[in-house]
Structure formats: structure tokens, C-alpha cells
Amino acid sequence: MAPSIIVLAILIIIFLASAIKILPEYERGVIFRLGRVIGAKGPGIIILIPFIDKMVRVSLRVITMDVPTQDVITKDNVSVKVDAVVYFRVVDPVKAIVNVEDFIYATSQISQTTLRSVCGQAELDELLSQREKLNVKLQEIIDKETDAWGVKVVSVELKRIDLPEELVKAMARQAEAERERRAKIISAEAEFQAAQKLVEAAALLAKQPIAMQLRYLETLNTIGQKNAKTIVFPFPTELMGFIENLRQKEKTE
């Protein structure tokens, strides 16, 4: 009698172990009954009919997937290497199990294809300067393709863009030439502004001749404060006018 009870207890334990499943909050169980899907259940305790029901676990957490480096030829015929990272999660467990064999592998393949296609339609400058725009475009296209699999693409981020070494050197020379051009323009603008100020100052001094004498005296004061061995004698501008008047008189005579 005792052996029968032990065997019965073992069978009951095996039955309960195969019939009762516990799913955490982030998982759902897709139930198949005699091969037909009856829906997704969870989280918590799930009771199955042994040998009749089969459960496939599906995680609802966000999955981070690296897209392998892709060789891309841009719209302006530049060969670059591009890789990205895709964030996605399952929103419909039944579709993710029934409509596709392996939704993670399928999402990876469609991500690689879309990355090559989108980057190939963009020029190099757009690829380098408008990453946010390309990220949004990639996310929309991949999400549209994976919608039938019950997968929601949260975001797509371009990680790295590798350029040929010759192109990197050419871009460095271009940037250096651009900086030199800006420096020359700034220097020329400074000279122009300085010349304008000198013209205004000359016009102001011409209205008041005594102001020039004051400038002479100020210059002498500045020189005198230093230990200079040079002696400067101001030459009055009135004397130049007097000499010029004498010349004019000699010519008239």
C-alpha cells in the first residue's frame, strides 16, 4: 500500500509541476492547445493541461541589438562603414510567436537592410550632420516592417561612421583652409574699421588745429615717462603752412 501512495504522490507532483507555471511581470506566455493558439497569459500563476497545452515564454522588456557594420556607398559616391544600435520590444506576444520564426533574428536582418538603404540615399554631409533626421527615418521604416510581427521599434541610433583615410585628410585640409579664410576676412574687416576710425579722427582734428598740438604734448608726455634716449621735437604744423604760403608767393612773383 505504501509504495502505491509514494508512486501516486510522485505522479501528482509531476502533474502539478507540468501544469502550474509562474510568469514574472515582464513575461507573457503564449498558450497552444493541441497546436492551436488560445492566447497570451500572464503574469502570475498559469495553469496548463499536461500533454495538451504548450506554453512559449515571451519577454516584454526592451531588447538592445547591435547592427553589424555595413559597407555603404552614399548618394555622392563615397564609400563609408556605418553601424547602429536598435532598441525594440514585443507588444503583441501572439504575433511575435505565430507570424515569424525568430523575431529577434528577423528584426536584425531588416535593420541591416534598412541601414544600407537609408544611408545609401543620403549624401556624406547629410550623413555626418543630420544624424537625428536619419535616426527618425530608420526608426519609422523598421517599425513599419516589424509591426506585423508584434514588435515595436523604440529608437534607432547611428553609432559610428568610418570614413576612408584619404577623405579624412582632405576634410582636414578643407577645414584648415576655411579657418584661414575666416582669419583673413576678420583681419581685413579690422583694418577697414580702423581706417574708418582714423578718417573720423582726422576730420575731427582738422576742425580744431589746436587739438593736434595737444596730441603732440600728450605724445611727449608718454615718451618722457620711459627711460628713452631719443629726444623728439614736435614740428608745428603752422610752420608748414607758413612755408607753403612763401612758396605760393614766389611762384606768383
Side-chain angles (χ1 to χ4, degrees):
M1 192 69 182
S4 300
I5 296 175
I6 294 175
V7 171
L8 181 61
I10 293 174
L11 291 176
I12 292 175
I13 292 173
I14 294 174
F15 177 83
L16 293 177
S18 60
I20 298 177
K21 304 293 182 181
I22 299 177
L23 297 178
E25 184 67 31
Y26 57 84
E27 283 188 351
R28 298 293 183 270
V30 180
I31 311 300
F32 291 88
R33 179 165 294 168
L34 297 177
R36 297 178 63 87
V37 64
I38 63 174
K41 296 183 179 181
I45 299 177
I46 307 298
I47 299 177
L48 304 176
I49 301 175
F51 309 109
I52 295 178
D53 291 345
K54 178 183 178 182
M55 184 182 71
V56 179
R57 295 173 179 262
V58 180
S59 177
L60 302 184
R61 292 177 292 184
V62 174
I63 300 174
T64 303
M65 181 181 64
D66 286 326
V67 180
T69 303
Q70 304 295 311
D71 292 326
V72 178
I73 298 178
T74 62
K75 190 176 181 180
D76 48 353
N77 297 323
V78 178
S79 178
V80 297
K81 295 180 181 294
V82 183
D83 59 3
V85 59
V86 179
Y87 301 90
F88 65 95
R89 61 185 179 88
V90 176
V91 294
D92 192 331
V94 175
K95 288 183 178 180
I97 297 300
V98 175
N99 292 356
V100 63
E101 181 178 2
D102 187 344
F103 66 89
I104 296 179
Y105 177 76
T107 303
S108 174
Q109 294 300 308
I110 194 65
S111 299
Q112 295 178 40
T113 304
T114 305
L115 180 62
R116 288 195 300 268
S117 176
V118 172
C119 293
Q121 296 174 3
E123 295 185 354
L124 180 61
D125 290 342
E126 182 181 359
L127 196 62
L128 295 175
S129 62
Q130 300 184 14
R131 288 196 180 188
E132 292 296 331
K133 179 181 176 181
L134 294 175
N135 291 340
V136 173
K137 189 175 181 180
L138 286 168
Q139 186 268 334
E140 291 176 351
I141 295 175
I142 299 174
D143 184 59
K144 184 178 179 180
E145 295 292 334
T146 59
D147 183 64
W149 307 334
V151 174
K152 171 64 178 177
V153 178
V154 179
S155 65
V156 180
E157 298 290 337
L158 292 174
K159 287 173 49 179
R160 185 178 60 188
I161 301 174
D162 292 335
L163 303 176
E165 185 176 356
E166 296 79 7
L167 183 59
V168 174
K169 293 180 179 178
M171 294 176 66
R173 291 194 299 269
Q174 179 184 1
E176 184 178 358
E178 178 66 19
R179 288 193 295 270
E180 291 180 357
R181 183 184 70 86
R182 293 180 181 178
K184 291 180 180 179
I185 291 176
I186 293 173
S187 178
E189 289 180 352
E191 291 291 340
F192 179 74
Q193 293 176 4
Q196 284 184 326
K197 294 299 181 181
L198 288 174
V199 171
E200 294 175 2
L204 184 61
L205 291 173
K207 294 179 181 179
Q208 296 292 336
I210 192 64
M212 183 62 70
Q213 300 297 328
L214 294 175
R215 291 295 299 168
Y216 280 143
L217 294 176
E218 185 178 354
T219 303
L220 288 174
N221 183 38
T222 303
I223 296 174
Q225 292 178 356
K226 300 180 181 180
N227 296 325
K229 297 181 180 180
T230 305
I231 300 175
V232 180
F233 292 96
F235 189 79
T237 55
E238 290 82 356
L239 183 58
M240 292 295 299
F242 178 73
I243 295 174
E244 185 65 26
N245 291 332
L246 292 178
R247 290 182 179 177
Q248 293 294 334
K249 289 181 180 180
E250 291 177 356
K251 290 181 179 180
T252 55
E253 293 177 355

